Amino acid sequence: PVQILIPAALRDYTGASRVEADGDTLDALFDDLDRRYPGIRFRVVDEQGRLRANMRIFVRAITQGERLGVSIGTTMRNLSVEMRKRRRC
């Protein structure tokens, strides 16, 4: 299973800030999440199967940050700054 951090806006679906799901791809993870928490997939992925513009997925950075003792907030801010830099190039 993969541990997933759930943003506050989606916690009405899960009732928790962290949940687990199974799948080898993001699509499979979203399918499993939707089986466990009906309706959550549509809030994250649009009708064409693309990630909605307001959603972000961070893989490994969170777990690496936790292992190093860096807060999730700091990790998210650093990732956000890096993404903005890449968009400007």
Side-chain angles (χ1 to χ4, degrees):
V2 175
Q3 191 170 87
I4 300 169
L5 301 174
I6 302 296
L10 298 178
R11 290 183 192 153
D12 286 347
Y13 290 91
T14 63
S17 61
R18 291 177 186 240
V19 298
E20 289 187 348
D22 292 311
D24 294 328
T25 65
L26 285 175
D27 196 45
L29 283 172
F30 289 140
D31 284 344
D32 190 45
L33 275 175
D34 205 54
R35 274 191 291 280
R36 296 173 191 228
Y37 311 102
I40 196 170
R41 181 186 178 99
F42 185 71
R43 294 285 309 274
V44 179
V45 179
D46 68 14
E47 296 83 0
Q48 288 79 37
R50 294 179 298 208
L51 192 64
R52 292 191 182 278
N54 61 329
M55 290 290 146
R56 301 289 182 260
I57 297 176
F58 301 97
V59 180
R60 292 193 187 129
I62 300 296
T63 55
Q64 288 172 350
E66 286 178 343
R67 281 189 208 130
L68 296 172
V70 178
S71 75
I72 290 172
T74 299
T75 302
M76 298 297 275
R77 276 190 299 280
N78 291 342
L79 288 169
S80 179
V81 167
E82 188 62 33
M83 288 171 56
R84 276 191 231 115
K85 285 179 186 176
R86 288 180 186 172
R87 279 191 216 135
R88 290 182 190 144
C89 295

